[in-house]
Amino acid sequence: MAGTTAPISMRTVVAASSAGTAFEWYDFFIFGSLTQVISKTFFAGLSDTAGYFAALALFGVGFAFRPLGALVFGRIGDRMGRKGAFLVTVALMGGATFAIGFLPTYSQIGILSPILLIATRVIQGFALGGEYGGAAIYVAEHSSPKRRGWNTSWVQTSAAFGLFGALAVIWLARKTLGEDTFNAIGWRIPFLVSAILLGISVWMRLKLSESPAFAALKAGGEESKAPYAEAFGQWKNLKLVLLAFFAMMSAQGAVWYCSFFYVQVFMEKFLKVDPATINFLLMGAVAASAPLYVFFGWLSDIVGRKIVMLAGMTLALVAFFPGFHALERAANPALTAASAANHVVVVADPADCALQFDPVGKAVFVSSCDIAKSFLANAGVSYSTQESPAGTPTVVKIGAATIPSASAKGLSKDQTKTVKAGVEGRLKAALKAAGYPARADPVQLDAWGMFGVLMIFVVAATALFGPLAACLVELFPTRVRYTAMSLPYNIGTGWIGGFLPFTAFAIVTATGNIYAGLWYPVAFTVISVVTTLFFLPETKGRPLDV
């Protein structure tokens, strides 16, 4: 039964499970940390904003296929065993990541390049969908009830180790090669390095045996013959799936991916911070997060899972808006001063304005309003709108200055390009005169202040994520644990979390407010706070051999 394994075996179980999961997170996180480079390499045929949208959306595509992987590998894990399922997932993930390092660019083979990239991302997401559930369950089913939060929290730290590894390799490659060489070819290095990590992970996992809880179930012939029907067709199990999603996974996807990924998009795209600086700060925050997962997992063994996770959700909820404002003041004080002194207002006929949301690069924005808003969206400048009489051309007010826009309706491609260049040139000059910086000034940047804000987000994310594996495993019966647990986990992290950077960026582009995207993680976190507070039971210490 669970809990009778010798200490040395428990250490092996935790190390092998966590190391393999860290490798898979490394593979997956490389992509999110290289969004800007990937957008220019594989989506060169699109505009800057459309290319960035496409790269963020492709980051989400990998997550979109995670629930499918959860269903496939969950069924394998519940019918045939935990070990075999997550041995296959690590091999799939490693192969797909290594292949990305050899993909030809858009300039080399055109549209086939992003198609191949999409295919590898689908494989990555499919594999990762079966990975986490298997690792968390495997460790939990070896653990004693009193140490379950502590032991499974090491699986949670694998996300930190994976992300830190990805950031570290990217940072070292950038520093060694220089930004131009890295953008041209050096970006392939982090993907190719994964081959070494793959070999280590497979070797470690081959050393493992089946989990005690599943082995006992199989020995008695009681393993599930129809995991899908049991997990989702029986209300007693389905209600647990729904509870896991709304109480924990809605917030997990929102809080974790806002704290570690959208914050990168925000600092790079809107605050204009140098990518190498962002990588360095995130490496520090991620390194600091590793012991916090274990601390909060340990704390949940003492005071309970629910109160620790609820504290993390609540902290994120109250910290996101003031925290992101504080990031702006610390990272780019010139931008804060310029926005306060010379707020940008687009004065336009509403009928002349389209929604500034173009994820595939096919929309044509040629009205006077669209041209002005397109430039401001690309520049990451917050603006408000003011309605003007019907038929009047758009003007942009930047402080006391008024800059006329122009329409390119009915003009040729070359003429349209000339009109847009003229408008953009006038707006750039006016923004510069009003004190809007083109980049964050490294001299004025308060790195410690930025790090302090990031650490508030880190504490919130780790308090939620540290005890989460133990709570999820304890919530579900052994017969359908892999299937029932993996689906809500991967919908929460895969769909809510994976599409968070893309959706939040789209909201910002559509509204003209660089903080508007935060409503996305806040909304999902509110759902989890309410559901956890009123409906989630305390699971600490529950037996797993049922």
Side-chain angles (χ1 to χ4, degrees), residues 365-383:
F365 301 117
V366 293
S367 71
S368 61
C369 176
D370 290 345
I371 290 174
K373 285 189 173 183
S374 291
F375 169 77
L376 294 172
N378 281 326
V381 174
S382 283
Y383 61 88

Side-chain angles (χ1 to χ4, degrees), residues 63-74 122 125-127 129-130 228 487 490-491 495:
F63 286 87
F65 279 81
R66 284 179 59 171
L68 178 60
L71 289 173
V72 171
F73 290 108
V122 168
F126 180 72
Y228 297 157
L487 186 64
N490 284 289
I491 291 177
W495 291 358

Side-chain angles (χ1 to χ4, degrees), residues 155-201:
V155 177
Q156 311 301 71
T157 65
S158 64
F161 292 135
L163 179 54
F164 182 84
L167 291 170
V169 173
I170 291 169
W171 182 76
L172 284 171
R174 271 193 162 116
K175 285 294 184 183
T176 302
L177 300 175
E179 197 67 22
D180 291 339
T181 304
F182 179 83
N183 290 340
I185 194 170
W187 62 268
R188 298 179 184 274
I189 292 173
F191 293 101
L192 299 178
V193 166
S194 67
I196 301 171
L197 303 177
L198 172 62
I200 296 171
S201 300

